């Protein structure tokens, strides 16, 4: 799809003239680095809200996680257990998470009416149904746009083990596209080449920008802007390569989080949050359990539970949970009916997510499904409600419009409203 | 250039194919020898109709005020770069650039086009574009990728009609000795019927029918579930079979098997009539009827354990003919549109796989004309590309004074009133970086008498692979729009293999620039700009180079030249085919 972000708007023009010629981007970066660690940390704590999404791709079963129905025909073999939040029970597959429940809220009344992976993922990450001809940005890009400090050298949206495409940011432009740490590694080629001094590097970039600017004077520039901004982004990354140094985790931490990819990715996410990255997405996969649903969930949630719980408790201990919103979600839930292969299929009409941290009332539960989990019977919500809730949790007015490309865009679906009962 | 007899050949072509042109030649540096000419031995351009001017008429008729909005015809510098990139996959060398700019003949553009269409690099480049179109960078599975690449390259070199190429690919099951490469289309997709149905309709029919797998397409009224399963029905009996004795994997077929489908919406509504079925059919064409056999007589080789069955009648064998038959204009139309988009930067129907009535072509009559003429030419790739690049539409500048004052609507790309910026493909980008730094020239010199396209590519392919892996997008996904990531920039900025080819080395760009005396800044700036951006610098640019180098000697001068080459090469002007 053609990139049509910010074409010809005043916003983009001023940003271009700002970046052009003087390598101002690079200079402002140096300014930020010059700040003392303490001041920077203080500022972050004072103003900056952060968001971490755990994306359980394939569609985790709500019945084996947040909305168990033990003893019913659809409930499957697992029991439910009490949690640190009085009265709230979740599946016995999440014993560690149960101990953090006082930090988390559950939304059990989701009906997105969508059983297709791609379309479900779109609804959950944009708050809207797909519509032809207009692409909303994904929430990583949206929150990078709203929350990341304007001159921050840090990328606003980093994806760890969850994939991501630079198309996610749509009209918000490449500055808010995900930086994908593929294979959970720091980006390659992050260090300046030995032959180059910092001074030479700056000069080369300045020259590059001048030549480009001359070329762009009489041309359509949607593509070239994307290209130019990626040079600024690369320079910013180089100036903050410390956030990608993942070599210093203690043995104890590695032990606590588990010696598998997901455990390590959670540790990386913790570091990225500590260093001030606005939005982090962490992926855990293999939940599309059309067969052997229960064995798969024992395995997958067995891996997920402890690092997820440890992450929440670490963020709380470090005082970061106060300003960090945590969302644990996926594209849809799974059918209450157990199919002939002992699997569960796609189910968007009655399922749950968990969220916690900044702006969220720990231990709160919204929505209810019937006894067998086939229908929402109280407080039905969809992607729009969830987006209002995310916005308000981080202190933004979700009922406003914003003007990323000169046109008004509703932050969240105006036909819906926030789930107030779980907001702190 | 690699062919010693180029001149003779080119003049023949010009005499035969364009009587209006004087037999004028561009004197490129055709001094090297080829050990394996890749070009067919007889001229393949038929005496075909010229349609360049018809293209321009239709484009101009398509927009009110076209004359006022249109960019001027591009400069020679823009043209030489653009046409080399589009026909050979790289920017011209500094020598080729100079030769073209210095040539004063009025017909030099047509002559250059004819010359480039006969180079081995044309065959390599166009076959790579076809490869990406057909395979979408799927990785190796069962079939040797080099064999496949060679098959495509030979096909383009001999100018095999495009419909014939597609028929060969869709007929191949990989069992015959000579046609293993062709079977890659099926086998790289592991014979998956749904994946193949989706890709065949997207690539060859301009219709992304993915949604029609489960129900009639929700957004496109005319795309039905029957269309999807009509294509599937050709493939439903086929499966991937590994012959353990021969250690060979082929796309085998059974004599039975039908598609069955029902809308998931109907199931949910409980109004379902039950599963439907269809005979093989390409869109709204005739259903392919099939012979009936007595029970037990359906096979030449009956299915058994570890034996590849061979049915008397193959459904799949009908697919290529049905798809490319004259009754199915969708194929010709889609191909004409895809090739147009490849050269012009945007389809007349756009997106390329959304050809339906709610998404009409920007220039309906033109698309009809192109379809008719492409069929009439016998699906002649070379003729078609030649007509496109000789049109004024192709030769408009990408620069337009009006960009600052007119709205996006008024200067929409869909009007083709200006050249659209096309991001270089990974292959074009890597080749052009190697040409701009002079690294390709270093290799050419080291190969000397052994120089051929194939030998040169062997030296360059390592770089090409790095670019493809970073810039090539996800396997199995169509290339759409322009994406750029910080990873790519970090590679271009910091990676040793890029830094390494910038340093002065006998005959490369930095070396040539450094050899020009310091008191000749105009020559220095000229050499730099001609080498990297294929044009002469203007006064400001010359001044800038002079100031940057003023007073610098030794290592400092060295570094500055390297940095200039890098900066020019990383500019937007270089990154896009403009």
């Amino acid at each position: 799809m053609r990139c049509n972000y910010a074409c010809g708007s005043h916003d983009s023009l001023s940003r271009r003239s700002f970046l052009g010629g003087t390598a101002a981007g690079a200079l402002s970066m140096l300014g930020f680095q010059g700040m003392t660690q303490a001041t920077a940390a203080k500022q972050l704590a004072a103003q900056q809200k952060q968001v971490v999404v755990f994306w359980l791709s394939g569609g985790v079963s709500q019945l084996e996680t947040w909305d168990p129905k033990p003893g019913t025909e659809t409930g499957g073999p697992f029991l439910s257990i009490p949690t640190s939040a009085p009265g709230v029970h979740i599946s016995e597959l999440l014993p560690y998470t149960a101990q953090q429940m006082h930090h988390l809220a559950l939304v059990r009344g989701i009906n997105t009416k969508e059983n297709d992976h791609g379309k479900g993922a779109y609804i959950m990450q944009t708050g809207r149904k797909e519509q032809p001809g207009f692409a909303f940005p994904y929430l990583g890009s949206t929150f990078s746009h709203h929350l990341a400090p304007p001159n921050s050298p840090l990328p606003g949206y980093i994806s760890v083990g969850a994939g991501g495409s630079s198309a996610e940011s749509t009209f918000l432009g490449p500055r808010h596209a995900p930086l994908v740490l593929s294979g959970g590694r720091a980006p390659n080629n992050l260090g300046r080449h030995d032959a180059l001094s910092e001074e030479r590097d700056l000069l080369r970039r300045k020259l590059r920008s001048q030549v480009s600017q001359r070329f762009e004077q009489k041309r359509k520039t949607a593509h070239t802007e994307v290209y130019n901004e990626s040079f600024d982004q690369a320079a910013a990354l180089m100036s903050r390569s410390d956030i990608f140094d993942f070599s210093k985790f203690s043995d104890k931490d590695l032990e606590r989080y588990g010696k598998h990819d997901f455990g390590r990715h959670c540790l990386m996410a913790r570091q990225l949050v500590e260093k001030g990255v606005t939005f982090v997405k962490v992926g855990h996969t293999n939940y599309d359990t059309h067969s052997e649903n229960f064995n798969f969930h024992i395995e997958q949630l067995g891996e997920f539970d402890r690092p997820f719980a440890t992450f929440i408790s670490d963020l709380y201990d470090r005082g970061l949970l106060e300003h960090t919103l945590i969302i644990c979600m996926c594209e849809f839930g799974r059918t209450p009916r157990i199919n002939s292969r002992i699997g569960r299929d796609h189910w968007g009409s009655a399922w749950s997510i968990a969220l916690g941290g900044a702006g969220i009332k720990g231990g709160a539960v919204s929505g209810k499904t019937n006894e067998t989990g086939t229908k929402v019977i109280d407080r039905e919500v969809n992607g729009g409600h969830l987006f209002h809730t995310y916005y308000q949790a981080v202190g933004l007015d979700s009922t406003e419009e914003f003007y990323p490309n000169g046109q008004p865009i509703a932050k969240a679906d105006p036909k819906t409203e926030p789930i107030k009962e779980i907001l702190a | 250039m690699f062919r010693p007899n180029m001149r003779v050949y080119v003049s023949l072509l010009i005499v035969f194919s364009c009587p209006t042109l004087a037999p004028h030649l561009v004197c490129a540096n055709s001094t090297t020898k080829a050990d394996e000419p890749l070009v067919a031995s007889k001229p393949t351009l038929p005496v075909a109709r010229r349609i360049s001017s018809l293209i321009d008429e239709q484009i101009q008729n398509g927009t009110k005020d076209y004359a006022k909005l249109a960019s001027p015809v591009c400069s020679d510098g823009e043209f030489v770069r653009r046409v080399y990139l589009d026909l050979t996959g790289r920017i011209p060398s500094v020598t080729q650039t100079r030769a073209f700019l210095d040539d004063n003949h009025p017909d030099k553009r047509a002559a250059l086009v004819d010359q480039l269409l006969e180079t081995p690099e044309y065959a390599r480049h166009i076959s790579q574009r076809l490869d990406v179109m057909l395979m979408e960078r799927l990785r190796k599975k069962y079939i040797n990728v080099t064999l496949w690449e060679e098959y495509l390259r030979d096909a383009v070199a001999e100018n095999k009609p495009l419909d014939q190429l597609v028929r060969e690919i869709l007929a191949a099951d990989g069992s015959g000795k000579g046609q293993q490469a062709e079977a890659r289309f099926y086998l790289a997709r592991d014979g998956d019927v749904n994946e193949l149905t989706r890709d065949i309709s997207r690539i060859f029919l301009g219709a992304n029918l993915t949604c029609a797998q489960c129900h009639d397409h929700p957004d496109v009224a005319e795309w039905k579930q029957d269309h999807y399963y009509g294509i599937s029905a050709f493939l439903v009996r086929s499966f991937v079979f590994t012959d353990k004795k021969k250690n060979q994997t082929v796309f085998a077929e059974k004599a039975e098997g039908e598609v069955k489908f029902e809308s998931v919406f109907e199931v949910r509504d409980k109004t379902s009539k039950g599963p439907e079925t269809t005979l093989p059919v390409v869109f709204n064409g005739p259903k392919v009827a099939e012979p009936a056999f007595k029970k037990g007589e359906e096979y030449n080789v009956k299915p058994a354990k570890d034996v590849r069955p061979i049915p008397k009648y193959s459904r799949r064998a009908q697919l290529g003919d049905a798809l490319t038959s004259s009754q199915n204009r969708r194929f010709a139309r889609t191909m004409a549109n895809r090739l147009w988009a490849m050269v012009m930067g945007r389809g007349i129907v756009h997106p390329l796989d959304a050809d339906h009535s709610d998404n009409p072509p920007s220039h309906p009559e033109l698309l009809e004309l192109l379809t008719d003429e492409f069929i009439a030419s016998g699906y002649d790739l070379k003729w078609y590309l030649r007509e496109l690049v000789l049109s004024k539409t192709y030769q408009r500048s990408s620069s337009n004074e009006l960009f600052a004052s007119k709205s996006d609507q008024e200067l929409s790309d869909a009007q083709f009133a200006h050249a659209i910026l096309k991001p270089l493909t990974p292959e074009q980008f890597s080749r052009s970086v190697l040409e701009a730094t002079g690294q390709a020239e270093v290799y050419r010199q080291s190969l000397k008498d052994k120089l051929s396209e194939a030998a040169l590519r062997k030296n360059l392919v390592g770089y090409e692979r790095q670019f493809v892996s970073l810039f090539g997008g996800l396997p199995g996904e169509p290339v759409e729009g322009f994406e750029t990531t910080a990873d790519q920039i970090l590679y271009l900025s910091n990676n040793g293999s890029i830094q390494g080819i910038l340093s002065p080395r006998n005959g490369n760009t930095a070396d040539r620039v450094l050899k020009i005396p310091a008191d000749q800044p105009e020559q220095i700036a000229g050499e730099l700009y001609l080498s990297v951006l294929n044009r002469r610098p203007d006064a400001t640019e010359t001044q800038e180079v002079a100031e940057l180098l003023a007073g610098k000697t030794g290592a400092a001068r060295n570094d500055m030249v390297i940095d200039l080459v890098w900066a020019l090469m990383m500019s937007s002007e270089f990154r896009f085919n403009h």
Side-chain angles (χ1 to χ4, degrees), chain B residues 187-247:
Chain B
L187 292 178
R189 292 169 172 89
D190 224 352
D192 184 290
V193 176
N194 285 321
E195 195 174 335
L196 286 166
T197 302
R198 183 196 69 195
D199 289 353
I200 286 167
S201 31
R202 249 179 347 96
I203 296 168
F204 301 121
L205 299 168
N208 188 345
L209 296 179
T210 312
C211 292
Q213 184 184 343
C214 306
H215 41 70
D216 291 345
H217 199 293
D219 303 327
V220 183
E222 72 227 42
W223 288 355
K224 305 295 185 191
Q225 218 175 348
D226 305 51
H227 290 129
Y228 184 92
Y229 285 95
I231 310 279
S232 287
F234 284 101
L235 300 157
V236 69
R237 296 175 177 177
S238 300
F239 61 98
V240 171
F241 173 84
T242 300
D243 188 329
K244 285 173 191 152
K245 276 183 215 150
K246 287 187 188 161
N247 194 21

Side-chain angles (χ1 to χ4, degrees), chain A residues 26-97:
Chain A
L27 292 175
S28 70
M29 254 176 293
L30 295 177
F32 191 94
Q33 243 187 348
M35 253 197 273
T36 65
Q37 286 287 345
T39 333
K42 225 182 197 171
Q43 283 193 355
L44 284 179
Q47 321 157 349
Q48 200 187 330
K49 292 287 202 297
Q50 291 165 274
V51 183
V52 180
V53 163
F54 288 85
W55 182 256
L56 307 188
S57 76
V60 73
S61 168
Q62 72 283 6
L63 294 157
E64 273 69 59
T65 51
W66 315 118
D67 194 9
K69 305 280 178 188
T72 68
E73 56 169 316
T74 55
F78 304 118
L79 300 176
S80 70
I81 51 171
T83 67
S84 61
V88 180
H89 286 57
I90 61 172
S91 168
E92 64 170 329
L93 295 181
L94 298 172
Y96 287 94
T97 303

Side-chain angles (χ1 to χ4, degrees), chain A residues 1-2 165-166 189 191 193 200 203-205 208 210 212 214 216 218-219 226-227 230-231 238, chain B residues 398-401 403 413 480 483-484 489-490 493-495 499 541 544 559 563 570-572 575:
Chain A
M1 201 166 290
R2 184 153 173 90
S165 144
S166 66
N189 301 305
H193 192 261
R200 258 183 88 186
L203 175 74
R204 292 201 321 179
R205 288 169 193 280
R208 191 207 78 80
Q210 277 170 2
S212 297
R214 284 196 289 261
E216 288 153 21
K218 296 173 197 162
R219 285 178 172 85
V226 174
Y227 188 53
S230 61
F231 277 89
M238 287 169 67
Chain B
S398 57
S399 154
N400 190 328
E401 298 282 354
F403 274 123
D413 284 349
E480 273 177 19
E483 287 193 20
T484 176
I489 308 305
L490 291 172
S493 306
N494 299 331
N495 190 276
Q499 292 311 309
E541 289 161 339
E544 186 179 81
D559 288 352
D563 292 345
M570 292 298 121
S571 67
S572 307
R575 181 68 182 87

Side-chain angles (χ1 to χ4, degrees), chain A residues 136-380:
Chain A
F136 281 95
Y138 279 39
L139 81 170
S141 307
T142 305
F143 284 107
S144 167
H145 170 84
H146 289 305
L147 299 176
N151 295 324
S152 168
L154 297 169
Y157 171 13
I158 296 184
S159 168
V160 185
S165 144
S166 66
E168 284 186 19
S169 61
T170 67
F171 53 75
L172 298 177
R175 185 173 141 67
H176 302 293
L179 174 74
V180 178
L181 301 186
S182 62
R185 282 189 316 271
N188 290 327
N189 301 305
L190 195 58
R192 215 176 25 245
H193 192 261
D194 296 340
L196 283 175
S197 66
E198 193 170 342
E199 198 189 1
R200 258 183 88 186
D201 195 37
L202 260 177
L203 175 74
R204 292 201 321 179
R205 288 169 193 280
K206 186 178 153 210
L207 281 172
R208 191 207 78 80
S209 158
Q210 277 170 2
V211 177
S212 297
Q213 239 188 352
R214 284 196 289 261
F215 172 74
E216 288 153 21
Q217 268 160 9
K218 296 173 197 162
R219 285 178 172 85
K220 192 165 187 169
T221 53
H223 280 0
T224 55
E225 260 185 68
V226 174
Y227 188 53
N228 292 335
E229 288 201 18
S230 61
F231 277 89
D232 297 330
Q233 200 191 10
L237 288 181
M238 287 169 67
S239 79
R240 282 304 306 273
S241 53
D242 62 307
I243 68 170
F244 301 110
D245 182 359
F246 300 120
S247 64
K248 298 196 176 73
F249 299 128
S250 68
D251 287 346
K252 197 179 151 211
D253 270 347
L254 291 167
E255 190 64 42
R256 289 168 67 231
Y257 277 79
K259 289 182 176 168
H260 41 71
D261 284 351
F262 180 66
R264 198 177 144 67
H265 294 167
C266 288
L267 265 171
M268 290 164 69
R270 188 187 77 186
Q271 174 165 322
L272 295 171
V273 172
E274 281 176 319
K275 300 269 184 181
V277 175
T278 297
F279 187 101
V280 181
K281 178 154 97 171
V282 192
H284 197 219
T285 188
N286 225 359
Y287 288 96
D288 195 14
T289 52
H290 290 283
S291 55
E292 299 264 349
N293 176 71
F294 303 105
N295 286 336
F296 268 114
H297 275 80
I298 291 177
E299 226 166 84
Q300 290 311 100
L301 292 172
E303 193 171 274
F304 168 81
D305 181 36
R306 194 155 71 123
F308 175 68
T310 310
F311 180 84
I312 291 174
S313 98
D314 277 6
L315 254 55
Y316 175 75
D317 289 347
R318 290 156 200 237
L320 296 165
L321 199 57
E322 241 171 87
H323 64 261
T324 306
L325 171 69
I326 314 278
I327 309 169
C328 177
M329 63 169 169
C330 50
E331 56 264 51
F332 41 55
R334 306 210 73 82
T335 46
R337 196 178 76 87
I338 300 161
N339 69 25
S340 58
R341 288 158 300 177
I342 324 295
R344 294 191 195 268
D345 302 314
H346 304 174
W347 192 245
S349 38
W351 61 290
S352 323
I353 67 162
L355 57 174
I360 297 296
K361 199 187 283 173
V365 176
S366 158
K368 200 172 170 186
T369 51
N370 64 4
E371 197 186 319
T372 47
T374 55
K375 253 176 96 169
V376 177
I377 52 171
D378 181 38
R379 191 60 166 131
E380 180 173 300

Side-chain angles (χ1 to χ4, degrees), chain B residues 69-209:
Chain B
L69 295 174
S71 296
V73 167
C74 68
S75 68
D76 279 348
E78 279 176 273
F79 180 78
V80 72
R81 184 176 192 274
R82 188 184 302 169
V83 80
Y84 262 89
L85 279 166
D86 283 327
L87 296 182
T88 72
R90 64 168 173 88
I91 60 168
S93 71
V94 66
T95 322
Q96 287 160 339
T97 305
R98 274 211 178 88
F100 186 76
L101 296 184
D102 292 345
D103 187 337
N104 289 321
H105 201 280
D107 292 324
K108 65 180 180 177
R109 291 190 182 191
L112 176 65
V113 168
D114 286 332
Q115 181 197 329
L116 296 183
L117 285 171
E118 298 311 317
T119 58
E121 287 186 297
Y122 163 81
R124 178 188 55 78
H125 171 61
I126 298 297
S127 66
Q128 284 182 325
R129 300 296 303 256
L130 291 178
D131 180 16
V132 174
M133 180 180 97
L134 295 167
M135 302 310 301
E136 294 173 340
R137 303 203 187 279
L138 288 171
R139 302 202 204 290
K140 175 183 186 290
K141 189 141 204 179
Y142 309 123
I143 298 294
N144 181 322
V145 177
T146 310
L147 274 183
W148 161 258
E149 286 172 351
E150 279 170 12
Y151 164 74
L152 282 183
R153 194 188 57 190
D154 291 348
V156 176
E158 69 183 61
N159 202 25
K160 188 177 277 178
L162 191 62
D163 61 331
Q164 187 191 331
L165 179 72
V166 171
R167 276 195 302 273
E168 284 179 12
I169 288 169
L170 295 180
D173 64 10
S175 66
K177 251 202 167 163
Q179 44 103 294
Q180 279 167 338
E182 294 98 304
R184 178 159 145 76
F185 185 85
Y186 291 130
L187 292 178
R189 292 169 172 89
D190 224 352
D192 184 290
V193 176
N194 285 321
E195 195 174 335
L196 286 166
T197 302
R198 183 196 69 195
D199 289 353
I200 286 167
S201 31
R202 249 179 347 96
I203 296 168
F204 301 121
L205 299 168
N208 188 345
L209 296 179

